[in-house]
Amino acid sequence: MQWFLRDLTGMLGGILFTLYQGSNLDANAKMWRLVADLMNDLGMLMDLVSPLFPASFVFVVCFGSLSRSFTGVAGGATRAALTQHFALQNNAADISAKEGSQETMATMIGMAVGMLLARLTMGHPFAIWFSFLSLTFFHMYANYRAVCCLALTSLNTERSSILLLQFMESRQVLFPEQVSRMEHILPIQTIFWSTNKVKLPHKRINLGVRVSSLDQRDMMELLHSAGSHYRKAKYLLLERNQIINVILHKDSTTSDILQSVIHALVMAKLKEENTSVHVESQSWMDKHYKVFLQKLSSSGWKTERLLSPSIIWRANWLCESSDDKMD
């Protein structure tokens, strides 16, 4: 019965993790790649300590199974995303095959070293635990350093925020290697901007807001915005309580989504200065957005699309000179 509960917990954990975080894996591949490795180490630790707690044996092994289920989902999904990054010649299959061969070789070496350590530490519990914990911490640190060195060229909301803030201050665009040292890769990290400790504005953006969740006051403001500030745009922005809500048109493309997020980031930044956010942000977009994209491309960034969670809710509106409608 206890093994049934362990396996069931792992299966349910994988399903629930996919349900709540599946659409976020592409946008934050570095973070979830590291989390997958950490959860795998945690699962192995739970398996080893479970015999030490007979009264809580089922709970401990179920927790270990849950950790490994997260590893399976996050590890497999992020491996596919990172393979695309390394496939510079559109040779994802070749990269995947070679990565699998390297992993197999590393596993074989690990098995040989593990057998040697098992023989040397046989009958010495302290030496066994010291070896396991030492190698586990080394594995975690090595994975952390490896992920930190990974310079992705795709744009997500955090990397876009870092790049935009630098561009607004100096009119210069950072390279992927520079941004990789500034973005966070742990879920529990508090995000600060470089040395001045300013929180990045991407945390104050809601992308793909459902129109029916807005109240009458917000709807009236959106109707006004659709016919004035965003007459030609396929998105609408609504600021409430320092949060920038992004409503996307049903016909919006990947370039429209990227533009809407950049516009929302500009608005969030200008809101800190207590300016007229709609007018000033639109003026900034008209003057600098195309230049910003050109500099991103010349610095090695991919500007075709923005990596973001799946956008489920979209809206449809018609803008005319005298009458604005929204469905």
Side-chain angles (χ1 to χ4, degrees):
M1 184 65 178
Q2 58 191 11
W3 306 119
F4 169 77
L5 290 175
R6 183 197 65 176
D7 294 341
L8 180 63
T9 302
M11 294 176 185
L12 292 177
I15 294 173
L16 292 176
F17 179 79
T18 303
L19 176 64
Y20 287 102
Q21 291 294 337
S23 62
N24 195 35
L25 296 175
D26 262 321
N28 296 288
K30 290 175 64 174
M31 181 185 73
W32 289 114
R33 175 68 259 177
L34 181 61
V35 169
D37 290 323
L38 297 181
M39 295 301 289
N40 186 53
D41 291 339
L42 180 61
M44 290 191 296
L45 178 62
M46 292 299 101
D47 288 343
L48 288 176
V49 302
S50 58
L52 303 178
F53 302 95
S56 305
F57 179 79
V58 175
F59 174 79
V60 175
V61 295
C62 287
F63 186 75
S65 179
L66 188 66
S67 299
R68 284 192 299 274
S69 70
F70 292 168
T71 299
V73 176
T78 54
R79 180 180 290 110
L82 296 179
T83 297
Q84 294 296 327
H85 167 72
F86 288 109
L88 301 179
Q89 300 178 1
N90 294 323
N91 55 339
D94 181 34
I95 297 296
S96 180
K98 291 177 179 177
E99 188 270 340
S101 298
Q102 290 178 352
E103 185 174 351
T104 301
M105 179 60 68
T107 301
M108 293 172 60
I109 296 174
M111 290 174 59
V113 175
M115 293 176 63
L116 177 62
L117 277 177
R119 186 175 184 84
L120 294 176
T121 59
M122 185 180 301
H124 300 84
F126 177 80
I128 293 175
W129 279 105
F130 178 79
S131 300
F132 171 75
L133 294 177
S134 299
L135 292 173
T136 299
F137 280 114
F138 175 75
H139 177 248
M140 294 167 61
Y141 176 76
N143 279 325
Y144 176 77
R145 295 302 305 169
V147 172
C148 287
C149 294
L150 185 59
L152 299 180
T153 58
S154 56
L155 293 174
N156 62 7
T157 54
E158 183 183 1
R159 289 191 282 272
S160 299
S161 182
I162 295 173
L163 290 164
L164 180 65
L165 288 180
Q166 180 66 26
F167 180 78
M168 293 180 73
E169 291 180 1
S170 64
R171 294 294 182 265
Q172 299 297 321
V173 169
L174 299 174
F175 290 97
E177 294 78 11
Q178 295 172 297
V179 175
S180 68
R181 295 192 293 268
M182 303 169 68
E183 61 180 327
H184 83 292
I185 56 175
L186 286 174
I188 60 174
Q189 274 184 299
T190 303
I191 306 173
F192 293 99
W193 166 244
S194 190
T195 58
N196 57 7
K197 308 300 183 183
V198 176
K199 188 175 182 180
L200 292 174
H202 73 278
K203 285 295 184 181
R204 294 190 278 122
I205 294 177
N206 285 336
L207 182 61
V209 174
R210 186 178 182 180
V211 173
S212 59
S213 66
L214 305 177
D215 57 28
Q216 185 176 3
R217 175 193 171 194
D218 294 337
M219 290 294 295
M220 294 301 296
E221 182 174 337
L222 283 180
L223 289 172
H224 173 72
S225 298
S228 55
H229 305 299
Y230 308 103
R231 181 179 296 274
K232 297 181 180 180
K234 292 186 178 179
Y235 60 88
L236 301 173
L237 302 182
L238 177 68
E239 187 275 327
R240 281 291 179 270
N241 300 321
Q242 303 294 324
I243 301 297
I244 311 299
N245 298 293
V246 182
I247 297 93
L248 293 167
H249 193 275
K250 69 180 185 67
D251 295 328
S252 58
T253 63
T254 55
S255 60
D256 294 322
I257 295 174
L258 175 60
Q259 182 177 346
S260 70
V261 170
I262 298 299
H263 196 161
L265 291 171
V266 173
M267 183 179 289
K269 175 61 177 176
L270 294 177
K271 185 62 180 177
E272 299 173 359
E273 304 171 2
N274 296 319
T275 61
S276 178
V277 290
H278 284 290
V279 176
E280 293 295 330
S281 63
Q282 186 61 58
S283 175
W284 191 96
M285 293 292 290
D286 293 339
K287 294 179 181 178
H288 303 293
Y289 180 67
K290 290 184 178 179
V291 176
F292 180 53
L293 287 187
Q294 291 173 356
K295 289 192 174 183
L296 285 177
S297 298
S298 62
S299 298
W301 293 98
K302 297 179 180 178
T303 59
E304 296 83 9
R305 62 187 290 255
L306 177 83
L307 296 180
S308 65
S310 299
I311 300 172
I312 301 175
W313 301 106
R314 296 176 185 245
N316 183 29
W317 62 87
L318 300 174
C319 296
E320 299 176 355
S321 58
S322 60
D323 186 26
D324 300 320
K325 298 180 180 179
M326 180 177 293
D327 297 334

